[in-house]
Amino acid sequence: MAFLIHQLDNLDYDEAEPLLEDYILVAIADFANSPIGQACIERNPEGGSWIGTFIEFAYLYGGYTLPKMTKGNVQEVMEYTLPRKLTLLDPSDTDGAIDELVAFWTFLHDKYRLRSAKAIAKYLQSIETKFPQWMFDPQRGGIAKSFVTQGMAAGFDMTTQEGVTAFQEEYNRNLPARPPMPPTVPMLPAELLTESFEMTTAPPDMQRAFEQLGLELPKPGERVNPMQLVSQFFGGLLQMDPDAAEELMASLDEEEEGVANAAELREELQRLDWNEAIALSPDHQATLQSQTITATAPGTILRDLEIALAAIARGVPLSGKLQHMPAKVAADINQRLSQPIAIAMQRPVQKSYPNVHGLYLLLRATGLAQVVTEGSKAKLVVNPEIHQSWQQLNPTEQYLSLLEVWFLRSHPEMLGEERSGRMMMGDRCLQAWPFLTKKANATFANYAAQDRLAYYPSFYNLALMEMFGFITITPGQPDPKKGWRFKKIVVQPWGKAVMATFDAATEVVASNWPGILDPALPLGDLQPLLRPYFPEWHRCLALPTVEFRPGRHVFKVSLGKIWRRIAIAADATLADLSDLIRASVDFDDDHLDMFTYKTPTGLSVKAFHPFSSGDLYTTEVKIGDLPLSVGGTMEYLYDFGDNWQFSVVLEAVEPEPEPPKGFQNAKVKKTRQTKGKSTKAAGNIIESHGEAPEQYPGADW
């Protein structure tokens, strides 16, 4: 069977999941039949499992497919996903893993010419000695995995109820002493093994899980040992039906569809006693209480953002696909900032200046800057409404609004990094924070050493950390033709206090921040958490909203060199527009479809056919509600097998034509309609250019 490497691309999860197992088996067979695969088999005859595990976890937890995978995606899988989600019985289980994956990606480069395969193979080679350590690092795996790992290390079979119970009894007998363990085995922190703590209000997902297991959680205020809770949970889990247990664990790993309404969750968090919910150290509390926020303290972010706003006051032209600023503009902004970055690149681009790249991210995520299209060219301009809201805030409100936008509303996709996983910037900073705080300061002898931070948190997030006052960075002299060079990073008390607060709060909400669940909510997630320390935080920055736009919308729909001009009413839906597009090229309607467009902040929105599985359906989106400016583009994908991709450009919004006199009050007889379709005549095809392609070329029926 031929390996269809692009088979999973552009498929919804529910469509791809049944194909995944066969896809993996055929991929491994394709690799095994190649010269590179044969050589790998000679070195490791029992190989193949790591390739399958990698493909499966990359898709299930990141949505990454092989052809579209980047080096950053692979780094996320190897350094975060696998250590967190996969429990191994012995360090030797990682033997041959990197060799197998390097060979596989080398094969993909040679046979399929995947763009990132060579860089991915090189990265995998660089982590050969680190990967086994990551897989048994309790900080990467979390408390549940640490519990299982520790039990196995003590000689207990943690795959059975008897083994879990025996380890729990052994642990209880040894309290307050630690169970005897080999010194090389990763341990839970001593205080979690030997001490009891006051129970706080459990996160909603924890409450639901214990209720489903038939277990009673301790009441807030009762003394409880975390290890006893974990062992109780796993004991209950092993008594469940295996399928039900797997479903329960998946619901804890993933963001649940049944999570409480985001607005209701916001209200719940506002009522929460955060002093009771999280325990900050006296030093962190003192740091927060003593901090006064100004344009230059605790960092220069407010001053630097004003510099960036001034630079785009008259509009700045943007590049085509990524919509980045020209290198000349980025270089000019860099020189004006509080901490300019030195680079020695011959052909720099916006992201060559991580400080400017980070500010651009905040401008887009806040809506202070917006992309407008003039003809075929895009410009970055100041959004007057959001800027007016910004100017009405005091420095504390400006700083803390920016902090919330950065942590909870910013995503790499806003910078053009399309395949970048689900984690927002706050999560990415949390991932890198233990490394930055492991020593009094972090030093970097060369470019290879600092590349450890290129993806988590990313260089632009490092630059933002400095501008927010979390860290200080000692710059180095860049090598010829090289980019930003830094020699040392020192974490500041302010950064430690804020990150400790955010980390603890994220645990309380189980990462389900209301603003992430529903980006349409106004800012305010962090306000009840931080306002006790900053009582002057009364207002938040207003975020951009999309108002319904009446009128006849005229789209130019292109498929390769042919195009059609279609006019459609504002209160028609994307489902109506899809009917017109298919009719314009004489395609039948027996396949699924999908529209993809961008929000004002640069995030992608996918609207699916009503018979698909998705969060948003084409029958629910009215044309007048689309966040497209005139000149803006969206994509229409029809038939996930043949992948007919149409470009849909909004050319004009015209006044609705007046109805003929005498018909204002006429009643229209309703006709039978298909599921989810509008009853009114939604629009019409007003111009055609080029002959439509055959929908099924070469078909014989």
Side-chain angles (χ1 to χ4, degrees):
M1 181 185 296
F3 177 40
L4 304 176
I5 193 169
H6 294 280
Q7 185 180 18
L8 304 182
D9 294 355
N10 300 318
L11 293 185
D12 180 66
Y13 173 82
D14 287 341
E15 296 167 322
E17 194 272 337
L19 307 174
L20 188 58
E21 183 176 355
D22 287 341
Y23 181 89
I24 291 171
L25 293 175
V26 177
I28 294 173
D30 195 27
F31 167 70
N33 291 327
S34 70
I36 295 175
Q38 290 294 318
C40 182
I41 292 172
E42 289 182 9
R43 296 191 300 272
N44 184 14
E46 301 299 324
S49 63
W50 277 102
I51 294 174
T53 299
F54 176 87
I55 296 174
E56 179 182 13
F57 278 58
Y59 185 78
L60 294 181
Y61 293 102
Y64 307 134
T65 59
L66 292 175
K68 297 186 176 182
M69 215 173 291
T70 67
K71 178 184 170 184
N73 301 151
V74 174
Q75 185 172 16
E76 179 182 334
V77 173
M78 302 302 291
E79 299 183 24
Y80 173 77
T81 305
L82 289 175
R84 184 174 179 82
K85 306 296 184 185
L86 182 64
T87 300
L88 301 180
L89 299 178
D90 189 271
S92 64
D93 290 340
T94 62
D95 291 350
I98 298 301
D99 178 64
E100 182 177 309
L101 291 174
V102 169
F104 180 63
W105 279 100
T106 303
F107 158 73
L108 293 179
H109 174 265
D110 291 353
K111 181 170 182 178
Y112 296 100
R113 299 297 173 187
L114 299 187
R115 183 174 58 182
S116 300
K118 194 171 183 179
I120 290 171
K122 186 176 180 180
Y123 160 73
L124 290 169
Q125 287 176 323
S126 73
I127 64 168
E128 185 168 11
T129 59
K130 301 174 185 175
F131 182 62
Q133 301 170 16
W134 295 340
M135 290 302 296
F136 288 86
D137 182 349
Q139 290 187 345
R140 292 176 186 262
I143 187 171
K145 181 175 176 179
S146 297
F147 170 74
V148 175
T149 303
Q150 189 167 326
M152 293 188 299
F156 294 90
D157 183 0
M158 301 300 284
T159 64
T160 66
Q161 173 62 46
E162 292 76 11
V164 171
T165 302
F167 177 56
Q168 180 180 352
E169 292 173 352
E170 176 71 11
Y171 160 74
N172 290 333
R173 281 196 298 270
N174 283 279
L175 282 175
R178 215 188 259 252
M181 301 289 171
T184 58
V185 173
M187 295 287 191
L188 285 169
E191 62 270 19
L192 296 184
L193 289 166
T194 60
E195 296 183 18
S196 294
F197 302 87
E198 275 195 9
M199 183 69 181
T200 59
T201 303
D205 64 338
M206 185 177 182
Q207 295 179 25
R208 286 190 294 271
F210 270 70
E211 183 179 348
Q212 189 170 341
L213 291 170
L215 302 174
E216 185 175 350
L217 276 168
K219 296 179 180 178
E222 291 184 11
R223 304 294 293 183
V224 63
N225 179 269
M227 274 288 289
Q228 291 176 319
L229 274 184
V230 173
S231 59
Q232 189 180 15
F233 173 78
F234 273 93
L237 197 66
L238 289 171
Q239 294 179 12
M240 294 182 71
D241 173 78
D243 291 338
E246 183 177 353
E247 184 177 344
L248 174 60
M249 290 300 293
S251 72
L252 295 176
D253 285 337
E254 303 284 336
E255 191 176 271
E256 298 180 65
E257 290 183 7
V259 169
N261 175 277
E264 294 175 359
L265 182 58
R266 166 78 60 86
E267 293 177 2
E268 182 181 333
L269 297 181
Q270 289 172 342
R271 294 191 298 268
L272 186 64
D273 185 344
W274 283 100
N275 286 329
E276 179 185 320
I278 62 177
L280 292 180
S281 71
D283 286 346
H284 289 159
Q285 292 184 49
T287 298
L288 293 172
Q289 288 168 346
S290 64
Q291 182 63 57
T292 299
I293 296 177
T294 69
T296 55
T300 60
I301 185 63
L302 297 185
R303 177 183 182 275
D304 291 334
L305 192 75
E306 291 295 343
I307 291 171
L309 282 168
I312 66 168
R314 297 184 179 180
V316 172
L318 299 177
S319 63
K321 184 176 181 181
L322 296 178
Q323 295 187 329
H324 287 174
M325 296 182 290
K328 184 177 180 181
V329 175
D332 180 64
I333 295 174
N334 173 60
Q335 288 304 312
R336 297 172 185 267
L337 297 179
S338 304
Q339 300 290 339
I341 285 175
I343 65 172
M345 303 176 74
Q346 292 182 327
R347 299 179 64 184
V349 292
Q350 176 183 293
K351 70 177 182 179
S352 305
Y353 303 95
N355 49 1
V356 178
H357 209 41
L359 289 170
Y360 174 87
L361 171 70
L362 291 183
L363 290 174
R364 293 298 311 276
T366 57
L368 278 165
Q370 61 183 348
V371 176
V372 298
T373 305
E374 297 178 355
S376 61
K377 296 182 179 180
K379 292 177 63 177
L380 187 70
V381 300
V382 175
N383 184 323
E385 294 180 3
I386 307 302
H387 189 237
Q388 183 180 12
S389 168
W390 171 258
Q391 291 177 314
Q392 292 172 351
L393 304 179
N394 63 47
T396 298
E397 292 167 336
Q398 289 179 337
Y399 180 97
L400 295 176
S401 291
L402 281 183
L403 180 68
E404 181 169 330
V405 168
W406 177 32
F407 275 2
L408 303 181
R409 303 295 182 103
S410 299
H411 189 274
E413 188 182 9
M414 297 174 179
L415 296 171
E417 301 175 19
E418 294 183 358
R419 305 293 294 184
S420 47
R422 302 170 184 171
M423 289 199 297
M424 306 302 279
M425 294 306 181
D427 292 325
R428 292 167 187 271
C429 291
L430 285 176
Q431 286 295 311
W433 197 249
F435 173 81
L436 294 175
T437 56
K438 187 163 50 177
K439 298 179 180 178
N441 54 70
T443 57
F444 306 90
N446 49 43
Y447 278 101
Q450 72 180 44
D451 280 348
R452 163 72 172 76
L453 300 173
Y455 295 98
Y456 285 102
S458 76
F459 288 163
Y460 55 84
N461 277 323
L462 275 183
L464 285 173
M465 284 183 184
E466 184 171 44
M467 285 186 273
F468 274 93
F470 289 13
I471 61 176
T472 57
I473 300 175
T474 302
Q477 188 66 27
D479 291 350
K481 302 181 181 180
K482 291 281 190 177
W484 187 29
R485 175 77 177 93
F486 50 87
K487 298 190 297 185
K488 184 169 70 173
I489 295 177
V490 179
V491 176
Q492 299 302 302
W494 170 251
K496 292 180 180 179
V498 173
M499 290 300 287
T501 305
F502 179 63
D503 189 16
T506 299
E507 288 288 334
V508 170
V509 303
S511 297
N512 289 319
W513 290 101
I516 295 178
L517 299 177
D518 182 5
L521 279 179
L523 293 179
D525 283 358
L526 298 185
Q527 201 166 11
L529 177 66
L530 294 176
R531 189 174 175 184
Y533 302 102
F534 301 96
E536 60 272 35
W537 188 7
H538 300 288
R539 298 167 299 177
C540 295
L541 177 67
L543 296 179
T545 57
V546 178
E547 301 293 336
F548 180 80
R549 178 176 50 199
R552 190 175 82 146
H553 290 57
V554 180
F555 292 96
K556 182 178 180 181
V557 181
S558 302
L559 179 63
K561 294 182 179 180
I562 74 162
W563 57 265
R564 305 289 186 258
R565 186 164 282 119
I566 296 174
I568 189 168
D571 58 355
T573 67
L574 285 177
D576 297 317
L577 180 58
S578 68
D579 287 346
L580 288 165
I581 292 174
R582 291 194 310 275
S584 75
V585 290
D586 198 27
F587 281 9
D588 60 33
D589 63 352
D590 56 357
H591 297 286
L592 302 179
D593 56 14
M594 174 180 71
F595 283 92
T596 304
Y597 51 90
K598 296 279 190 181
T599 67
T601 60
L603 288 176
S604 290
V605 177
K606 296 182 185 296
F608 295 89
H609 188 284
F611 295 153
S612 297
S613 176
D615 296 326
L616 183 68
Y617 298 106
T618 54
T619 51
E620 299 173 324
V621 182
K622 290 189 174 182
I623 299 300
D625 285 327
L626 288 171
L628 294 180
S629 59
V630 173
T633 302
M634 60 182 173
E635 179 189 276
Y636 174 61
L637 175 64
Y638 176 64
D639 187 348
F640 298 155
D642 288 341
N643 288 325
W644 293 101
Q645 295 187 15
F646 297 78
S647 172
V648 183
V649 179
L650 178 61
E651 288 191 322
V653 180
E654 304 170 344
E656 288 282 7
E658 292 290 335
K661 289 184 178 181
F663 285 84
Q664 286 91 336
N665 299 317
K667 295 182 178 180
V668 179
K669 182 180 179 181
K670 292 185 178 181
T671 58
R672 188 172 61 89
Q673 59 176 327
T674 56
K675 179 182 177 182
K677 295 300 179 69
S678 170
T679 58
K680 72 173 290 180
N684 58 303
I685 303 161
I686 57 178
E687 190 174 351
S688 296
H689 177 83
E691 185 176 348
E694 290 185 50
Q695 184 176 0
Y696 305 107
D700 184 16
W701 34 47

